Amino acid sequence: MRISFEEIAAEFRTRVERIIWCTMATADRDRRIRSRIVHPIWDGRTGWVLTDRHSPKAGDVDGNPWTSLTYIDGAQEQVHVDCRTSWEERLSEKRRLWDWFKSIPPPIGYDPGLFFIKGVEDASFGALRLEPWRVELWSLADLMSGRPSRVWRS
């Protein structure tokens, strides 16, 4: 059964804003999987990660844009997000994201200046755009009650 993103949007937002941090998996140039913890902020279906443009994650995304995110909390509520990931290169959009991240109260938002002391024009400052092609909401309660996961595909 196909579902629309709108059918899961509220629960998606509730979970990602409660859990906040997630694991991001990428593949390196030798197709070996790597994972790390990231802090995306979502604007509808588009996610954003502010990160070092010269990190291992950056090299992985440059070589292979397909990433996978997993959020999980203590109650075993999960969100799995498979994405096409790309760099935002427009300075005006990077400024907008910088200001947006800074304007959102913690713990969801934060001041990027804590990590990029030279500001938005710092060569190491990067913004990754996460464009999901698949989102799955699942939980231990679903499993125990026999309910299937809810999956949206673009």
Side-chain angles (χ1 to χ4, degrees):
M1 175 176 94
R2 294 216 32 120
I3 64 172
S4 69
F5 186 78
E6 290 68 32
E7 291 176 78
I8 65 164
E11 183 63 21
F12 172 79
R13 185 167 196 85
T14 295
R15 289 185 188 191
V16 300
E17 288 185 354
R18 183 181 69 243
I19 300 169
I20 300 170
W21 295 87
C22 66
T23 301
M24 178 185 208
T26 59
D28 69 13
R29 294 192 189 277
D30 294 320
R31 299 182 353 186
R32 295 173 297 206
I33 302 300
R34 298 188 210 187
S35 62
R36 76 273 296 143
I37 304 299
V38 295
H39 182 163
I41 297 181
W42 293 88
D43 184 11
R45 270 193 293 204
T46 303
W48 295 96
V49 174
L50 305 183
T51 189
D52 188 327
R53 190 61 180 89
H54 309 292
S55 67
K57 160 184 354 88
D60 291 353
V61 168
D62 287 343
N64 181 343
W66 304 106
T67 61
S68 186
L69 309 175
T70 297
Y71 293 82
I72 187 168
D73 67 7
Q76 302 297 312
E77 286 197 328
Q78 301 166 30
V79 179
H80 304 279
V81 187
D82 298 321
C83 304
R84 178 171 177 79
T85 303
S86 60
W87 292 102
E88 176 55 64
E89 301 293 355
R90 296 171 296 177
L91 185 56
S92 61
E93 184 65 1
K94 288 168 68 172
R95 277 195 181 104
R96 183 192 73 80
L97 292 166
W98 180 288
D99 293 341
W100 182 52
F101 270 60
K102 192 173 178 176
S103 73
I104 299 169
I108 296 168
Y110 62 89
D111 180 358
L114 297 170
F115 305 98
F116 302 98
I117 57 174
K118 294 180 183 176
V120 72
E121 294 187 28
D122 188 329
S124 68
F125 175 67
L128 284 173
R129 176 193 319 268
L130 308 171
E131 298 173 289
W133 62 269
R134 181 180 181 278
V135 174
E136 179 179 5
L137 301 178
W138 190 83
S139 72
L140 183 59
D142 291 340
L143 175 66
M144 301 306 286
S145 67
R147 284 189 308 257
S149 62
R150 289 167 285 160
V151 178
W152 166 83
R153 286 184 173 86
S154 64

